[in-house]
């Protein structure tokens, strides 16, 4: 239906030009890595043991966001729920 088809973090692509976003599965395996030059996370793997482009299963995933900005030196982390 076009709603909620990819992860959007308001202002991230517009404000922080050097960010790095990593998404891990519940076992701690990196399944997606992106930055200003990559497309938004759509629930498909681009790293790790999954074949690139493979749809990830429904579940909880953990993210680590490094803004690479001296004004925001802390890495931001949290989780997201992927549903299909």
């Amino acid at each position: 239906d076009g709603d909620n088809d990819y992860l959007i973090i308001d202002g991230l692509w517009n404000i922080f030009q050097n960010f790095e976003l990593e998404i891990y599965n519940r076992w701690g395996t990196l399944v997606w890595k992106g930055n200003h030059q990559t497309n938004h996370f759509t629930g498909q793997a681009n790293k790790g043991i999954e074949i690139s482009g493979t749809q990830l299963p429904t579940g909880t995933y953990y993210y680590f966001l490094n803004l690479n900005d001296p004004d925001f030196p802390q890495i931001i982390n949290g989780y997201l729920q992927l549903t299909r």
Side-chain angles (χ1 to χ4, degrees):
D1 65 3
D3 290 334
N4 301 315
D5 288 344
Y6 53 90
L7 176 65
I8 297 176
I9 301 172
D10 286 337
L12 183 61
W13 266 259
N14 300 336
I15 298 170
F16 299 99
Q17 300 296 309
N18 297 315
F19 75 88
E20 295 174 344
L21 178 61
E22 296 179 342
I23 298 178
Y24 293 82
N25 65 16
R26 65 181 174 171
W27 296 284
T29 302
L30 178 65
V31 294
W32 189 86
K33 186 173 183 176
N35 58 33
H36 199 270
Q37 284 74 42
T38 59
N39 292 324
H40 294 279
F41 175 66
T42 61
Q44 295 181 337
N46 72 0
K47 296 287 181 192
I49 60 174
E50 299 288 340
I51 297 172
S52 184
T54 299
Q55 285 200 354
L56 296 168
T58 295
T60 302
Y61 292 83
Y62 302 90
Y63 67 84
F64 292 89
L65 174 59
N66 185 352
L67 298 175
N68 288 315
D69 186 303
D71 293 331
F72 301 95
Q74 294 290 92
I75 293 177
I76 301 165
N77 62 17
Y79 67 93
L80 59 98
Q81 181 67 33
L82 179 64
T83 57
R84 301 223 177 260

Coordinates of all heavy atoms in Angstrom, one line a residue:
D1 N 0.8 -1.2 0.0 CA 0.0 0.0 0.0 C 0.9 1.3 0.0 O 0.3 2.4 0.0 CB -1.0 0.0 1.2 CG -0.3 0.0 2.5 OD1 1.0 0.1 2.6 OD2 -1.0 0.0 3.5
G2 N 2.2 1.1 0.1 CA 3.0 2.3 0.1 C 3.3 3.0 1.4 O 4.0 3.9 1.5
D3 N 2.6 2.5 2.5 CA 2.8 3.1 3.8 C 3.8 2.3 4.6 O 3.8 1.0 4.6 CB 1.4 3.1 4.6 CG 0.4 4.1 4.0 OD1 0.9 5.1 3.4 OD2 -0.8 3.9 4.2
N4 N 4.7 3.0 5.2 CA 5.7 2.3 6.1 C 6.5 1.3 5.4 O 6.8 0.2 6.0 CB 5.0 1.7 7.4 CG 4.2 2.8 8.1 OD1 4.7 3.8 8.4 ND2 3.0 2.4 8.5
D5 N 6.9 1.6 4.2 CA 7.7 0.6 3.4 C 9.2 0.7 3.7 O 9.9 -0.2 3.3 CB 7.4 0.7 1.9 CG 6.0 0.2 1.6 OD1 5.4 -0.5 2.4 OD2 5.6 0.6 0.5
Y6 N 9.6 1.8 4.3 CA 11.0 1.9 4.6 C 11.2 2.7 5.9 O 10.3 3.5 6.3 CB 11.8 2.4 3.4 CG 11.3 3.7 2.9 CD1 11.8 5.0 3.3 CD2 10.4 3.7 1.8 CE1 11.3 6.1 2.8 CE2 9.9 4.9 1.3 CZ 10.4 6.1 1.8 OH 9.9 7.3 1.2
L7 N 12.4 2.6 6.5 CA 12.7 3.3 7.7 C 13.1 4.7 7.4 O 14.0 5.0 6.6 CB 13.9 2.6 8.4 CG 14.4 3.2 9.7 CD1 13.3 3.2 10.8 CD2 15.6 2.5 10.2
I8 N 12.4 5.6 8.1 CA 12.7 7.0 8.0 C 13.0 7.6 9.4 O 12.3 7.4 10.3 CB 11.5 7.8 7.4 CG1 11.1 7.4 6.0 CG2 11.8 9.3 7.4 CD1 9.9 8.1 5.4
I9 N 14.2 8.2 9.5 CA 14.5 8.9 10.7 C 14.5 10.4 10.3 O 15.4 10.9 9.5 CB 15.9 8.5 11.2 CG1 15.9 7.0 11.5 CG2 16.3 9.3 12.4 CD1 17.2 6.4 11.8
D10 N 13.5 11.1 10.8 CA 13.3 12.5 10.4 C 14.6 13.3 10.5 O 15.3 13.3 11.5 CB 12.3 13.2 11.3 CG 10.9 12.7 11.0 OD1 10.7 12.3 9.8 OD2 10.0 12.8 11.8
G11 N 14.9 14.0 9.4 CA 16.1 14.9 9.3 C 17.4 14.3 9.1 O 18.4 15.0 8.9
L12 N 17.5 13.0 9.2 CA 18.8 12.3 9.1 C 19.5 12.6 7.8 O 20.6 13.0 7.8 CB 18.7 10.8 9.4 CG 19.9 10.0 9.4 CD1 20.8 10.4 10.5 CD2 19.6 8.5 9.5
W13 N 18.8 12.3 6.7 CA 19.5 12.5 5.4 C 19.7 13.9 5.1 O 20.6 14.3 4.3 CB 18.6 11.8 4.3 CG 19.1 10.4 4.0 CD1 19.8 10.0 2.9 CD2 18.8 9.2 4.7 NE1 20.0 8.6 3.0 CE2 19.4 8.1 4.1 CE3 18.1 8.9 5.9 CZ2 19.3 6.8 4.5 CZ3 18.0 7.6 6.3 CH2 18.6 6.6 5.6
N14 N 18.9 14.8 5.6 CA 19.0 16.2 5.3 C 20.0 17.0 6.1 O 20.6 18.0 5.7 CB 17.6 16.9 5.5 CG 16.6 16.4 4.6 OD1 16.8 15.8 3.6 ND2 15.3 16.5 5.0
I15 N 20.3 16.5 7.4 CA 21.1 17.3 8.3 C 22.5 16.7 8.5 O 23.5 17.4 8.4 CB 20.4 17.4 9.7 CG1 19.1 18.2 9.5 CG2 21.3 18.1 10.7 CD1 18.2 18.2 10.7
F16 N 22.5 15.4 8.6 CA 23.8 14.7 8.9 C 24.3 14.0 7.7 O 23.9 12.9 7.4 CB 23.6 13.7 10.1 CG 23.1 14.4 11.4 CD1 21.8 14.4 11.7 CD2 24.0 15.0 12.2 CE1 21.4 15.0 12.9 CE2 23.6 15.7 13.3 CZ 22.3 15.7 13.7
Q17 N 25.2 14.6 7.0 CA 25.8 14.1 5.8 C 26.7 12.9 5.9 O 26.9 12.2 5.0 CB 26.5 15.2 5.0 CG 25.6 16.4 4.7 CD 24.5 16.0 3.8 OE1 24.7 15.4 2.7 NE2 23.3 16.4 4.1
N18 N 27.3 12.7 7.1 CA 28.3 11.6 7.3 C 27.8 10.5 8.2 O 28.6 9.8 8.8 CB 29.6 12.2 7.8 CG 30.2 13.2 6.9 OD1 30.3 12.9 5.7 ND2 30.6 14.4 7.3
F19 N 26.5 10.3 8.4 CA 26.0 9.3 9.3 C 26.3 7.9 8.8 O 26.5 7.7 7.6 CB 24.5 9.5 9.6 CG 23.7 9.0 8.4 CD1 23.2 7.7 8.4 CD2 23.3 9.9 7.4 CE1 22.4 7.3 7.3 CE2 22.5 9.5 6.4 CZ 22.0 8.2 6.3
E20 N 26.3 7.0 9.8 CA 26.4 5.5 9.5 C 25.4 4.8 10.3 O 25.3 5.0 11.5 CB 27.8 5.0 9.8 CG 28.9 5.6 9.0 CD 30.3 5.1 9.4 OE1 30.4 4.6 10.6 OE2 31.2 5.3 8.7
L21 N 24.5 4.0 9.7 CA 23.5 3.3 10.3 C 23.7 1.8 10.1 O 23.9 1.4 9.0 CB 22.1 3.7 9.8 CG 20.8 3.1 10.3 CD1 20.7 3.3 11.8 CD2 19.6 3.5 9.6
E22 N 23.7 1.1 11.2 CA 23.8 -0.4 11.2 C 22.6 -1.0 11.9 O 22.2 -0.5 12.9 CB 25.1 -0.8 11.9 CG 26.4 -0.3 11.3 CD 27.6 -0.7 12.0 OE1 27.5 -1.1 13.2 OE2 28.7 -0.6 11.4
I23 N 22.1 -2.1 11.3 CA 21.0 -2.8 11.8 C 21.4 -4.3 12.0 O 22.0 -4.9 11.1 CB 19.8 -2.7 10.9 CG1 19.3 -1.2 10.8 CG2 18.6 -3.6 11.4 CD1 18.2 -0.9 9.9
Y24 N 21.1 -4.8 13.2 CA 21.5 -6.2 13.6 C 20.3 -7.0 13.9 O 19.3 -6.4 14.4 CB 22.4 -6.1 14.8 CG 23.8 -5.5 14.6 CD1 23.9 -4.1 14.6 CD2 24.9 -6.2 14.3 CE1 25.1 -3.5 14.4 CE2 26.1 -5.6 14.1 CZ 26.2 -4.3 14.1 OH 27.4 -3.7 13.9
N25 N 20.4 -8.3 13.6 CA 19.3 -9.2 14.0 C 19.4 -9.5 15.5 O 20.4 -9.1 16.2 CB 19.2 -10.4 13.1 CG 20.4 -11.3 13.3 OD1 21.2 -11.2 14.2 ND2 20.6 -12.2 12.3
R26 N 18.5 -10.3 16.0 CA 18.5 -10.6 17.5 C 19.7 -11.5 17.9 O 20.0 -11.6 19.1 CB 17.2 -11.3 17.9 CG 17.0 -12.6 17.2 CD 15.7 -13.2 17.7 NE 15.4 -14.4 17.0 CZ 14.4 -15.2 17.3 NH1 13.6 -14.9 18.3 NH2 14.2 -16.3 16.6
W27 N 20.4 -12.0 17.0 CA 21.6 -12.8 17.3 C 22.9 -12.0 17.2 O 24.0 -12.5 17.3 CB 21.7 -14.1 16.4 CG 20.6 -15.0 16.7 CD1 20.4 -15.8 17.7 CD2 19.4 -15.1 15.8 NE1 19.2 -16.5 17.6 CE2 18.6 -16.1 16.4 CE3 19.0 -14.6 14.6 CZ2 17.4 -16.5 15.9 CZ3 17.8 -15.0 14.1 CH2 17.0 -15.9 14.7
G28 N 22.8 -10.7 16.9 CA 23.9 -9.8 16.8 C 24.6 -9.8 15.5 O 25.7 -9.3 15.4
T29 N 24.0 -10.4 14.5 CA 24.6 -10.4 13.1 C 24.2 -9.1 12.4 O 23.0 -8.8 12.3 CB 24.1 -11.6 12.3 OG1 24.5 -12.8 13.1 CG2 24.8 -11.6 10.9
L30 N 25.2 -8.4 11.8 CA 24.9 -7.2 11.0 C 24.2 -7.7 9.7 O 24.6 -8.5 9.0 CB 26.2 -6.6 10.6 CG 26.1 -5.3 9.7 CD1 25.4 -4.2 10.4 CD2 27.5 -4.9 9.3
V31 N 23.0 -7.1 9.5 CA 22.2 -7.5 8.3 C 22.0 -6.3 7.4 O 21.6 -6.5 6.2 CB 20.8 -8.0 8.7 CG1 20.9 -9.3 9.5 CG2 20.0 -7.0 9.5
W32 N 22.3 -5.1 7.8 CA 22.1 -3.9 6.9 C 23.0 -2.8 7.4 O 23.2 -2.6 8.6 CB 20.7 -3.4 6.9 CG 20.4 -2.4 5.9 CD1 20.0 -2.7 4.6 CD2 20.5 -1.0 6.0 NE1 19.9 -1.5 3.9 CE2 20.1 -0.4 4.8 CE3 20.8 -0.2 7.0 CZ2 20.1 0.9 4.6 CZ3 20.8 1.2 6.8 CH2 20.4 1.7 5.6
K33 N 23.7 -2.2 6.5 CA 24.5 -1.0 6.8 C 24.3 0.0 5.7 O 24.2 -0.3 4.5 CB 26.0 -1.4 6.8 CG 26.9 -0.3 7.3 CD 28.3 -0.8 7.5 CE 29.2 0.3 8.0 NZ 30.6 -0.2 8.3
G34 N 24.1 1.3 6.2 CA 23.8 2.4 5.2 C 24.4 3.7 5.7 O 24.8 3.9 6.8
N35 N 24.4 4.6 4.7 CA 24.9 5.9 5.0 C 24.2 6.9 4.0 O 23.2 6.5 3.4 CB 26.4 6.0 4.8 CG 26.9 5.6 3.5 OD1 26.3 5.8 2.5 ND2 28.1 5.0 3.5
H36 N 24.7 8.1 3.8 CA 24.0 9.1 3.0 C 24.0 8.6 1.5 O 23.1 9.1 0.8 CB 24.8 10.4 3.1 CG 23.9 11.5 2.7 ND1 23.9 12.0 1.4 CD2 23.0 12.3 3.3 CE1 23.1 13.0 1.3 NE2 22.5 13.2 2.5
Q37 N 24.8 7.7 1.1 CA 24.9 7.3 -0.3 C 24.0 6.0 -0.6 O 23.8 5.6 -1.7 CB 26.3 7.0 -0.7 CG 27.1 8.2 -1.0 CD 27.6 8.9 0.2 OE1 28.0 8.3 1.2 NE2 27.5 10.2 0.2
T38 N 23.5 5.4 0.5 CA 22.7 4.2 0.3 C 21.2 4.5 0.3 O 20.8 5.6 0.8 CB 23.0 3.1 1.4 OG1 22.7 3.7 2.6 CG2 24.4 2.7 1.3
N39 N 20.4 3.6 -0.1 CA 18.9 3.8 0.0 C 18.5 3.5 1.4 O 19.2 2.9 2.2 CB 18.2 2.8 -1.0 CG 18.4 3.2 -2.4 OD1 18.5 4.4 -2.8 ND2 18.6 2.2 -3.3
H40 N 17.2 3.9 1.7 CA 16.7 3.6 3.0 C 16.5 2.1 3.3 O 16.4 1.3 2.4 CB 15.3 4.3 3.1 CG 15.3 5.8 3.1 ND1 15.6 6.6 4.2 CD2 15.0 6.6 2.1 CE1 15.5 7.8 3.8 NE2 15.2 7.9 2.5
F41 N 16.5 1.8 4.6 CA 16.3 0.4 5.0 C 14.9 0.0 4.6 O 13.9 0.6 5.1 CB 16.6 0.2 6.5 CG 16.3 -1.2 7.0 CD1 17.0 -2.3 6.6 CD2 15.2 -1.3 7.9 CE1 16.7 -3.5 7.1 CE2 15.0 -2.6 8.4 CZ 15.7 -3.7 8.0
T42 N 14.7 -1.1 3.9 CA 13.4 -1.5 3.4 C 13.0 -2.9 4.0 O 12.1 -3.5 3.5 CB 13.3 -1.6 1.9 OG1 14.3 -2.5 1.4 CG2 13.5 -0.2 1.3
G43 N 13.8 -3.4 4.9 CA 13.6 -4.7 5.4 C 14.3 -5.8 4.7 O 14.1 -7.0 4.8
Q44 N 15.3 -5.4 3.8 CA 16.1 -6.3 3.0 C 17.5 -6.2 3.5 O 18.0 -5.2 3.8 CB 16.0 -6.0 1.6 CG 14.6 -6.2 1.0 CD 14.5 -6.0 -0.5 OE1 15.4 -5.2 -1.0 NE2 13.6 -6.5 -1.1
A45 N 18.2 -7.4 3.5 CA 19.6 -7.5 4.0 C 20.5 -6.9 2.9 O 20.2 -7.0 1.7 CB 20.0 -8.9 4.3
N46 N 21.6 -6.3 3.3 CA 22.6 -5.9 2.4 C 24.0 -6.3 3.0 O 25.0 -6.0 2.4 CB 22.6 -4.4 2.0 CG 23.0 -3.5 3.1 OD1 23.3 -3.8 4.2 ND2 22.9 -2.2 2.7
K47 N 24.0 -6.9 4.1 CA 25.2 -7.4 4.8 C 25.0 -8.7 5.5 O 23.9 -9.1 5.7 CB 25.7 -6.3 5.9 CG 26.1 -5.0 5.3 CD 27.4 -5.1 4.6 CE 27.8 -3.7 4.1 NZ 28.9 -3.8 3.2
G48 N 26.1 -9.3 6.0 CA 25.9 -10.5 6.8 C 25.7 -11.8 6.1 O 26.0 -11.9 4.9
I49 N 25.2 -12.7 6.8 CA 25.0 -14.0 6.2 C 23.8 -14.1 5.2 O 23.8 -15.1 4.4 CB 24.8 -15.1 7.3 CG1 23.6 -14.8 8.2 CG2 26.1 -15.2 8.2 CD1 23.3 -15.9 9.2
E50 N 22.9 -13.2 5.3 CA 21.8 -13.2 4.3 C 22.3 -12.7 3.0 O 23.2 -11.9 2.9 CB 20.7 -12.2 4.8 CG 20.1 -12.5 6.1 CD 19.2 -13.7 6.1 OE1 18.7 -14.1 5.0 OE2 18.9 -14.3 7.1
I51 N 21.7 -13.3 1.9 CA 22.1 -12.9 0.6 C 21.6 -11.4 0.4 O 20.4 -11.2 0.8 CB 21.5 -13.8 -0.5 CG1 22.1 -15.2 -0.3 CG2 21.7 -13.3 -1.9 CD1 21.5 -16.3 -1.1
S52 N 22.4 -10.6 -0.2 CA 22.0 -9.2 -0.4 C 20.7 -9.1 -1.1 O 20.5 -9.8 -2.2 CB 23.1 -8.5 -1.2 OG 22.7 -7.1 -1.3
G53 N 19.7 -8.4 -0.6 CA 18.4 -8.2 -1.2 C 17.4 -9.2 -0.6 O 16.2 -9.1 -0.9
T54 N 17.8 -10.1 0.2 CA 16.9 -11.1 0.9 C 16.0 -10.3 1.8 O 16.5 -9.5 2.6 CB 17.7 -12.2 1.6 OG1 18.5 -12.9 0.7 CG2 16.7 -13.1 2.4
Q55 N 14.7 -10.6 1.8 CA 13.8 -10.0 2.7 C 14.0 -10.6 4.1 O 14.1 -11.8 4.2 CB 12.3 -10.2 2.3 CG 11.9 -9.3 1.2 CD 10.4 -9.2 1.1 OE1 9.7 -9.8 1.8 NE2 10.0 -8.3 0.3
L56 N 14.2 -9.8 5.1 CA 14.4 -10.2 6.4 C 13.1 -10.7 7.1 O 12.1 -10.1 6.8 CB 15.1 -9.1 7.3 CG 16.5 -8.7 6.8 CD1 16.9 -7.4 7.5 CD2 17.5 -9.8 7.1
P57 N 13.2 -11.7 8.0 CA 11.9 -12.1 8.6 C 11.4 -11.1 9.6 O 12.1 -10.3 10.1 CB 12.4 -13.4 9.3 CG 13.8 -13.3 9.5 CD 14.3 -12.5 8.4
T58 N 10.1 -11.2 9.9 CA 9.5 -10.4 10.9 C 10.2 -10.6 12.2 O 10.6 -11.7 12.5 CB 8.0 -10.8 11.0 OG1 7.3 -10.5 9.8 CG2 7.3 -10.1 12.2
G59 N 10.4 -9.5 12.9 CA 11.0 -9.7 14.2 C 11.6 -8.3 14.7 O 11.4 -7.3 14.1
T60 N 12.3 -8.4 15.8 CA 12.9 -7.2 16.4 C 14.4 -7.1 15.9 O 15.1 -8.1 15.9 CB 12.9 -7.4 17.9 OG1 11.6 -7.5 18.4 CG2 13.5 -6.1 18.6
Y61 N 14.8 -5.9 15.5 CA 16.1 -5.7 15.1 C 16.6 -4.5 15.8 O 15.9 -3.7 16.4 CB 16.1 -5.3 13.5 CG 15.8 -6.6 12.7 CD1 14.4 -6.9 12.5 CD2 16.7 -7.4 12.2 CE1 14.1 -8.1 11.8 CE2 16.4 -8.5 11.5 CZ 15.1 -8.8 11.3 OH 14.8 -10.0 10.6
Y62 N 18.0 -4.4 16.0 CA 18.6 -3.4 16.8 C 19.4 -2.5 15.9 O 20.1 -3.0 14.9 CB 19.5 -4.1 17.9 CG 18.6 -4.9 18.7 CD1 18.4 -6.3 18.4 CD2 17.9 -4.4 19.8 CE1 17.6 -7.1 19.2 CE2 17.1 -5.2 20.6 CZ 16.9 -6.5 20.3 OH 16.1 -7.3 21.0
Y63 N 19.4 -1.2 16.1 CA 20.2 -0.3 15.3 C 21.2 0.5 16.1 O 21.0 0.7 17.3 CB 19.3 0.7 14.5 CG 18.5 1.6 15.4 CD1 19.1 2.8 15.9 CD2 17.2 1.4 15.8 CE1 18.4 3.7 16.7 CE2 16.5 2.3 16.7 CZ 17.2 3.4 17.1 OH 16.5 4.3 17.9
F64 N 22.3 0.9 15.4 CA 23.3 1.8 16.0 C 23.5 2.9 15.0 O 23.8 2.6 13.8 CB 24.6 1.0 16.2 CG 24.4 0.0 17.3 CD1 24.0 -1.3 17.0 CD2 24.7 0.3 18.6 CE1 23.9 -2.2 18.1 CE2 24.6 -0.6 19.6 CZ 24.1 -1.9 19.4
L65 N 23.3 4.1 15.4 CA 23.4 5.2 14.5 C 24.5 6.1 15.0 O 24.5 6.7 16.1 CB 22.1 6.0 14.5 CG 22.0 7.3 13.7 CD1 22.4 7.1 12.3 CD2 20.7 8.0 13.9
N66 N 25.6 6.2 14.1 CA 26.7 7.1 14.4 C 26.5 8.3 13.5 O 26.6 8.2 12.3 CB 28.0 6.4 14.1 CG 29.2 7.3 14.5 OD1 29.1 8.4 14.8 ND2 30.4 6.6 14.5
L67 N 26.3 9.5 14.1 CA 26.1 10.7 13.3 C 27.4 11.3 12.7 O 27.3 12.1 11.8 CB 25.3 11.7 14.1 CG 23.9 11.3 14.6 CD1 23.4 12.4 15.5 CD2 23.0 11.0 13.4
N68 N 28.5 10.9 13.3 CA 29.8 11.4 12.9 C 29.8 12.9 12.8 O 30.2 13.5 11.9 CB 30.2 10.8 11.5 CG 30.6 9.4 11.6 OD1 31.3 9.0 12.5 ND2 30.0 8.6 10.7
D69 N 29.3 13.5 13.9 CA 29.2 14.9 14.1 C 29.8 15.3 15.4 O 29.4 14.7 16.5 CB 27.7 15.3 14.0 CG 27.6 16.8 14.0 OD1 28.0 17.5 14.9 OD2 26.9 17.4 13.0
P70 N 30.7 16.2 15.5 CA 31.4 16.6 16.8 C 30.4 17.1 17.8 O 30.6 17.0 19.0 CB 32.4 17.6 16.4 CG 32.1 18.1 15.0 CD 31.3 17.0 14.4
D71 N 29.2 17.7 17.4 CA 28.2 18.1 18.3 C 27.4 17.0 18.9 O 26.7 17.2 19.9 CB 27.3 19.2 17.6 CG 28.0 20.4 17.2 OD1 29.0 20.8 17.9 OD2 27.6 21.1 16.2
F72 N 27.4 15.9 18.2 CA 26.6 14.7 18.7 C 27.6 13.5 18.7 O 27.4 12.6 17.8 CB 25.4 14.4 17.8 CG 24.5 15.6 17.7 CD1 24.6 16.5 16.7 CD2 23.5 15.8 18.7 CE1 23.7 17.6 16.7 CE2 22.6 16.8 18.7 CZ 22.8 17.8 17.6
P73 N 28.5 13.4 19.6 CA 29.5 12.3 19.6 C 29.0 10.9 20.0 O 29.6 9.9 19.6 CB 30.6 12.8 20.5 CG 29.8 13.6 21.5 CD 28.7 14.3 20.7
Q74 N 27.9 10.8 20.7 CA 27.4 9.6 21.2 C 26.7 8.8 20.1 O 26.0 9.3 19.3 CB 26.4 9.8 22.3 CG 26.9 10.4 23.6 CD 27.8 9.4 24.3 OE1 29.0 9.4 24.1 NE2 27.3 8.6 25.1
I75 N 26.9 7.5 20.1 CA 26.2 6.6 19.2 C 24.8 6.3 19.7 O 24.7 6.0 20.9 CB 27.0 5.3 19.0 CG1 28.3 5.5 18.2 CG2 26.1 4.2 18.2 CD1 29.2 4.3 18.1
I76 N 23.8 6.5 18.9 CA 22.4 6.3 19.3 C 22.1 4.9 18.9 O 22.3 4.4 17.9 CB 21.6 7.3 18.5 CG1 22.0 8.7 18.8 CG2 20.1 7.1 18.8 CD1 21.4 9.8 17.8
N77 N 21.4 4.2 19.9 CA 21.0 2.9 19.6 C 19.5 2.7 20.1 O 19.0 3.4 20.8 CB 21.9 1.8 20.3 CG 22.0 2.0 21.8 OD1 21.1 2.5 22.4 ND2 23.0 1.4 22.4
G78 N 18.9 1.6 19.6 CA 17.6 1.3 19.9 C 17.1 0.1 19.1 O 18.0 -0.7 18.6
Y79 N 15.8 -0.1 19.0 CA 15.3 -1.3 18.3 C 14.2 -0.8 17.4 O 13.6 0.2 17.6 CB 14.9 -2.4 19.3 CG 13.7 -2.0 20.1 CD1 12.5 -2.4 19.7 CD2 13.9 -1.4 21.3 CE1 11.3 -2.1 20.5 CE2 12.8 -1.1 22.1 CZ 11.5 -1.4 21.7 OH 10.4 -1.1 22.4
L80 N 13.9 -1.7 16.5 CA 12.7 -1.5 15.6 C 12.1 -2.9 15.4 O 12.7 -3.9 15.5 CB 13.1 -0.9 14.3 CG 14.1 -1.6 13.4 CD1 13.4 -2.4 12.3 CD2 15.0 -0.6 12.8
Q81 N 10.8 -2.8 15.2 CA 10.0 -4.0 14.9 C 9.7 -4.1 13.5 O 9.0 -3.2 12.9 CB 8.7 -4.0 15.8 CG 7.8 -5.2 15.6 CD 8.5 -6.5 16.2 OE1 9.2 -6.5 17.2 NE2 8.2 -7.6 15.5
L82 N 10.1 -5.1 12.8 CA 9.9 -5.3 11.4 C 8.7 -6.2 11.3 O 8.7 -7.4 11.8 CB 11.1 -5.9 10.7 CG 10.9 -6.3 9.2 CD1 10.8 -5.0 8.4 CD2 12.2 -7.0 8.7
T83 N 7.6 -5.8 10.6 CA 6.4 -6.6 10.3 C 6.1 -6.6 8.9 O 6.5 -5.7 8.1 CB 5.2 -6.1 11.1 OG1 5.0 -4.7 10.8 CG2 5.4 -6.1 12.6
R84 N 5.5 -7.6 8.4 CA 5.1 -7.7 7.0 C 3.7 -7.9 6.9 O 3.0 -8.3 7.7 CB 5.8 -8.9 6.4 CG 7.3 -8.8 6.5 CD 8.0 -9.2 5.3 NE 9.5 -9.0 5.4 CZ 10.1 -8.0 4.9 NH1 9.5 -7.1 4.3 NH2 11.4 -7.9 5.1

